[in-house]
Amino acid sequence: MSKMIKPDLSAPVDGRQSERALEIQRGTGRLLRRHGFVSLPEVTLKSGRRADLLAINTKGEIWIVEIKSSLADFRADKKWPDYWDFCDRLFFATNQETPEEIFPEEAGLIIADAHGAEIIRDVEQRKLAAARRKALTLRFAQIAASRLHAIHDPGVPTHIEPAKL
Amino acid sequence: MSKMIKPDLSAPVDGRQSERALEIQRGTGRLLRRHGFVSLPEVTLKSGRRADLLAINTKGEIWIVEIKSSLADFRADKKWPDYWDFCDRLFFATNQETPEEIFPEEAGLIIADAHGAEIIRDVEQRKLAAARRKALTLRFAQIAASRLHAIHDPGVPTHIEPAKL
């Protein structure tokens, strides 16, 4: 009867993230909220890749924000267009120290610091297929609630991970 | 719809009631997890009523668990059948001190303590309409993520509440 779910407890801080990336994550999370989106950091997708921020609004629209805290960070990622398979809009988020012109126009651009952020270039929406949107929404719900549960009840079984999409 | 039960005015209502309810909530949350469900406490529904626990599994099945920590607590709620509009299965959860026989068979029954719980009576599934399920899933995602966000970033704007279903 039961399907085991293992919570993704990596959020929001893990050893791989630099301090700067965390600042961008925080500022961008606030920006998303202003735009009516709740967001979850570090969500592993069906492709195996991890979205830095997966965000969803009350209409069910889904955005992904990839955080790039330096030029090297951006250059290390050749496969970023793959995120388009999992969102309606894709953005990069960076800081003021990283040159804007390195970021391709096929994604939107957000400039953030630890306190807030701005969308400095929007990007046209590409509409997710209904089945993918449904699966992503369900996975978002599972991960958010399992992380919250682990905070409120550290005794909760932690071997459960929602199925990948 | 439910069998009438004569009130027993001697039923104790004391200051520990909410503490007992929290114990039931915790034990039930663990039970739900074992059954593959993530859960969120205290979710306000479109009807204006608040579900004590709204739970969802990886298939998108939705359960509601109403916590009744005493006979008086159960008797104070005449409108519990309304929760059926928002779930595939409805359960009461109580503790060992509360007599099982007060709970109507139109809902399942869970006996819990602070450490765990068991489903002692299951209930047949009634299938939610697709649009309602979709809206509930989205709302679940919104609420879970916004609560998690508020924990990780107390500076996040808190004036945004997901629309009611």
Side-chain angles (χ1 to χ4, degrees), chain A residues 41-60:
Chain A
E42 313 236 334
V43 176
T44 303
L45 304 166
K46 190 182 181 181
S47 63
R49 285 179 60 96
R50 233 169 31 162
D52 288 336
L53 283 168
L54 184 68
I56 189 166
N57 71 4
T58 51
K59 291 174 186 165

Side-chain angles (χ1 to χ4, degrees), chain A residues 19-79:
Chain A
E19 181 84 8
R20 273 183 297 174
L22 282 174
E23 288 176 0
I24 296 167
Q25 179 194 102
R26 191 171 84 155
T28 303
R30 293 180 180 186
L31 166 79
L32 289 165
R33 196 58 165 273
R34 287 209 323 269
H35 283 267
F37 282 74
V38 294
S39 59
L40 265 184
E42 313 236 334
V43 176
T44 303
L45 304 166
K46 190 182 181 181
S47 63
R49 285 179 60 96
R50 233 169 31 162
D52 288 336
L53 283 168
L54 184 68
I56 189 166
N57 71 4
T58 51
K59 291 174 186 165
E61 191 184 347
I62 292 171
W63 291 3
I64 286 179
V65 182
E66 278 308 293
I67 294 168
K68 303 296 179 193
S69 58
S70 67
L71 181 57
D73 194 13
F74 172 69
R75 285 190 174 148
D77 181 3
K78 303 294 186 206
K79 293 191 161 181

Side-chain angles (χ1 to χ4, degrees), chain A residues 89-165:
Chain A
R89 278 178 223 251
L90 174 62
F91 293 87
F92 288 110
T94 191
N95 53 23
Q96 287 193 306
E97 289 71 45
T98 308
E100 290 174 23
E101 56 276 15
I102 69 167
F103 292 100
E105 296 198 348
E106 290 78 14
L109 186 60
I110 290 166
I111 305 288
D113 61 24
H115 306 290
E118 291 300 330
I119 295 173
I120 66 160
R121 192 180 64 235
D122 204 352
V123 65
E124 203 173 342
Q125 176 166 322
R126 305 180 192 182
K127 212 151 177 249
L128 280 173
R132 176 60 60 84
R133 184 186 313 282
K134 183 178 168 185
L136 276 165
T137 303
L138 187 53
R139 179 157 170 79
F140 187 105
Q142 296 275 328
I143 294 176
S146 63
R147 289 181 187 171
L148 193 63
H149 199 174
I151 290 169
H152 289 305
D153 181 7
V156 78
T158 56
H159 55 286
I160 303 172
E161 163 103 332
K164 284 186 183 160
L165 299 173

Side-chain angles (χ1 to χ4, degrees), chain B residues 78-94:
Chain B
K78 303 294 185 208
K79 294 193 161 179
W80 63 265
D82 296 352
Y83 288 114
W84 272 115
D85 294 341
F86 298 94
C87 58
D88 298 298
R89 278 178 223 252
L90 174 63
F91 293 87
F92 288 110
T94 191

Side-chain angles (χ1 to χ4, degrees), chain B residues 63-128:
Chain B
W63 291 2
I64 285 178
V65 181
E66 278 307 294
I67 294 169
K68 303 296 179 194
S69 59
S70 69
L71 184 57
D73 194 13
F74 171 68
R75 286 189 173 148
D77 182 2
K78 303 294 185 208
K79 294 193 161 179
W80 63 265
D82 296 352
Y83 288 114
W84 272 115
D85 294 341
F86 298 94
C87 58
D88 298 298
R89 278 178 223 252
L90 174 63
F91 293 87
F92 288 110
T94 191
N95 52 23
Q96 286 193 307
E97 289 71 47
T98 308
E100 291 174 22
E101 56 275 15
I102 69 168
F103 294 100
E105 297 198 348
E106 289 78 10
L109 185 60
I110 291 165
I111 306 287
D113 62 24
H115 306 290
E118 291 299 331
I119 294 174
I120 65 160
R121 192 179 66 234
D122 203 353
V123 66
E124 204 173 343
Q125 176 166 322
R126 306 181 191 182
K127 213 152 177 250
L128 279 174

